[in-house]
Amino acid sequence: MGTATISKMADEHLLKIYNRFPIALDHGEGVYLYDADGKKYLDFQAGIAVCSLGYSNEKYKSALKDQIDKLTHTSNLYYNEVCADAANALAKISGMDRVFFTNSGTEAIEGIIKTVRKYAYEKDGTTDHEIIAMEHSFHGRSMGALSVTYNPHYREAFEPLIGNIRFAKFNDIESVKALINDKTCAILTETVQAEGGVYPADEEFLKQLRQICDEKDILLVFDEIQCGMGRCGDYFAWQGYGVKPDCMAVAKAIGNGIPVGAFLMTDKVANASLKPGDHGTTYGGNPFAAAAVRTVIEIFEEEKIVENVKTLAPYLEAVVEELKAAHPDAIKERRGRGFLQGIELKVPVGEVIAKAQAAGLLTISAEGNVLRLLPPLVIGREHIDEMKNILDKILT
Ligand SMILES: *Cc1c(COP(=O)(O)O)cnc(C)c1O
């Protein structure tokens, strides 16, 4: 079945809520994807920062197949080895103490909102605590996660959302300080903002957030769903800044394509917040999802994935800077960290994405006319060169 037939069939009954690209992807190999008509694409979007290992990784595939043969689901009423392994592996690479598995990033944020509220409730017995989130943030689409997501366009029709959320200016510590009061229980931020336009945090900003939180016993929460798991050159972006949060949310790349997320916290938070009965999930961390997480982390270690990002990120940045120098009428600015790069354009980003697709390169956008590059973390120099050649031709 070709792309035209598939898209027609899909549009019959799927809710029309995405402006899908006119491409039906069929299979992948390494860092290349193939559509239903056999056209080959270099992938610089990784399924929105999910498929960090690229496609058709043998170890990953066989681990999932083995787990299907064994057991895919038990519920969280029972122990299973692979879930324990996955939790311990996540704790080890993050330095956090406690893990709760979810099915998505949004659910990880939901769990954190409950955690920080419960932590504050345990302290003073009251319930109307406030959370400070950031302008241009993105944390998900459920009612809680949407409440801490900035874009008014996403939020407006769904008001009232959960209350007592304040938005500060990202990278502006004074705007955070101005919002803090006795009711503030948490400060939530992406370490590197992604959907909102690709804005990395300033180191000084994160350090001062940490200091304020320590002084006032406010919980510092980092959303590492997109910027974490190696993408920014460290397992978690905050490790590169040397600022450890009290809680963090992960998802996307930790399963490399199996729907799984998690929220993690230190023992200080865990011992004084959620208790048995306060939260739960039927699927979260089931053996199939956990097998994905465990295997992904094993592959990251064996294939030195994070090191690859660290080594190649300066080259990727240099290549984008070269593009910018060569096309001053098309490119305004490069921003980003590691393999999460944003190119703010002076020409419409939608047109660039469409032309790139026609030329065999997949990329996506971010808010503010930004072209977002999110390659699988296993790319080599040759793939960066290939991306450059395609964008160079398009922008000319
Ligand atoms: C994708 C994303 C989410 C939401 O994750 P889902 O798995 O889509 O629910 C939350 N925060 C950030 C930073 C994200 O990139």
Side-chain angles (χ1 to χ4, degrees):
M1 215 178 272
T3 298
T5 319
I6 293 169
S7 59
K8 190 160 173 281
M9 224 167 65
D11 285 339
E12 276 172 32
H13 286 295
L14 280 171
L15 194 64
K16 290 192 197 309
I17 208 167
Y18 286 105
N19 293 315
R20 283 181 221 275
F21 300 123
I23 297 171
L25 292 172
D26 183 71
H27 62 281
E29 187 66 50
V31 299
Y32 293 95
L33 283 162
Y34 297 82
D35 73 16
D37 303 324
K39 185 176 161 85
K40 180 180 179 182
Y41 301 89
L42 174 64
D43 179 29
F44 262 63
Q45 51 86 47
I48 320 182
V50 169
C51 306
S52 285
L53 300 175
Y55 305 95
S56 213
N57 180 292
E58 288 302 331
K59 176 168 174 158
Y60 177 73
K61 285 193 297 185
S62 70
L64 293 183
K65 287 173 187 168
D66 288 350
Q67 192 60 47
I68 285 174
D69 287 339
K70 236 175 145 179
L71 193 63
T72 53
H73 183 75
T74 58
S75 89
N76 280 305
L77 301 179
Y78 305 91
Y79 287 106
N80 73 81
E81 183 184 336
V82 58
C83 181
D85 276 350
N88 291 340
L90 263 185
K92 188 166 168 224
I93 61 175
S94 66
M96 305 298 279
D97 301 311
R98 297 279 154 191
V99 181
F100 183 98
F101 283 109
T102 65
N103 310 293
S104 68
T106 299
E107 284 168 82
I109 295 293
E110 291 291 329
I112 284 181
I113 292 172
K114 288 178 71 176
T115 302
V116 300
R117 282 187 166 188
K118 185 76 195 302
Y119 181 86
Y121 172 83
E122 291 281 327
K123 265 199 309 191
D124 68 11
T126 69
T127 54
D128 48 353
H129 297 99
E130 300 183 1
I131 297 172
I132 298 175
M134 299 296 148
E135 293 185 2
H136 300 289
S137 62
F138 181 86
H139 299 293
R141 306 287 204 140
S142 61
M143 298 306 269
L146 191 57
S147 303
V148 288
T149 290
Y150 180 65
N151 193 333
H153 175 73
Y154 291 166
R155 304 153 46 87
E156 197 176 78
F158 308 103
E159 301 276 353
L161 300 172
I162 69 166
N164 292 4
I165 308 294
R166 311 270 170 254
F167 288 100
K169 285 195 163 46
F170 188 59
N171 280 337
D172 179 345
I173 200 68
E174 293 307 322
S175 83
V176 176
K177 284 183 186 165
L179 296 178
I180 289 177
N181 60 46
D182 290 347
K183 283 291 178 184
T184 309
C185 70
I187 300 174
L188 163 65
T189 184
E190 290 153 89
T191 322
V192 178
Q193 290 189 325
E195 307 288 329
V198 187
Y199 293 99
D202 297 336
E203 188 167 320
E204 198 48 36
F205 179 67
L206 295 187
K207 291 202 158 129
Q208 293 193 347
L209 286 183
R210 181 68 274 173
Q211 196 186 342
I212 291 170
C213 288
D214 287 341
E215 281 166 16
K216 301 188 184 289
D217 196 21
I218 292 168
L219 297 179
L220 182 60
V221 181
F222 290 158
D223 179 341
E224 288 265 345
I225 291 168
Q226 188 155 160
C227 62
M229 206 55 202
R231 180 142 303 269
C232 293
D234 293 275
Y235 259 116
F236 299 100
W238 58 261
Q239 291 166 334
Y241 288 92
V243 177
K244 189 178 175 181
D246 301 298
C247 305
M248 69 184 233
V250 294
K252 292 200 164 94
I254 67 164
N256 196 58
I258 300 304
V260 55
F263 58 98
L264 291 81
M265 62 192 84
T266 61
D267 273 333
K268 176 188 121 169
V269 182
N271 293 337
S273 58
L274 300 179
K275 298 275 168 3
D278 282 344
H279 198 54
T281 167
T282 298
Y283 284 130
N286 84 11
F288 189 59
V293 174
R294 175 173 76 176
T295 308
V296 165
I297 295 173
E298 275 173 19
I299 296 170
F300 263 67
E301 297 285 313
E302 287 163 14
E303 299 187 9
K304 303 207 179 320
I305 304 292
V306 181
E307 288 82 346
N308 188 54
V309 179
K310 243 198 171 97
T311 308
L312 278 184
Y315 186 65
L316 175 60
E317 290 185 0
V319 158
V320 176
E321 291 293 346
E322 277 172 42
L323 282 169
K324 183 184 154 207
H327 304 281
D329 295 337
I331 297 180
K332 187 172 168 210
E333 189 179 53
R334 178 199 67 79
R335 299 188 289 266
R337 199 171 165 95
F339 283 4
L340 169 47
Q341 292 289 327
I343 308 176
E344 189 174 334
L345 297 174
K346 297 177 181 171
V347 294
V349 66
E351 286 175 24
V352 173
I353 289 173
K355 284 183 180 164
Q357 287 169 350
L361 171 69
L362 299 184
T363 59
I364 56 174
S365 63
E367 213 179 293
N369 205 41
V370 171
L371 186 71
R372 190 167 20 148
L373 303 181
L374 293 166
L377 305 186
V378 294
I379 55 165
R381 271 173 181 264
E382 66 277 22
H383 304 115
I384 296 174
D385 293 339
E386 193 181 339
M387 173 276 293
K388 182 196 170 189
N389 290 337
I390 293 175
L391 285 185
D392 192 36
K393 276 198 198 103
I394 288 168
L395 295 172
T396 300

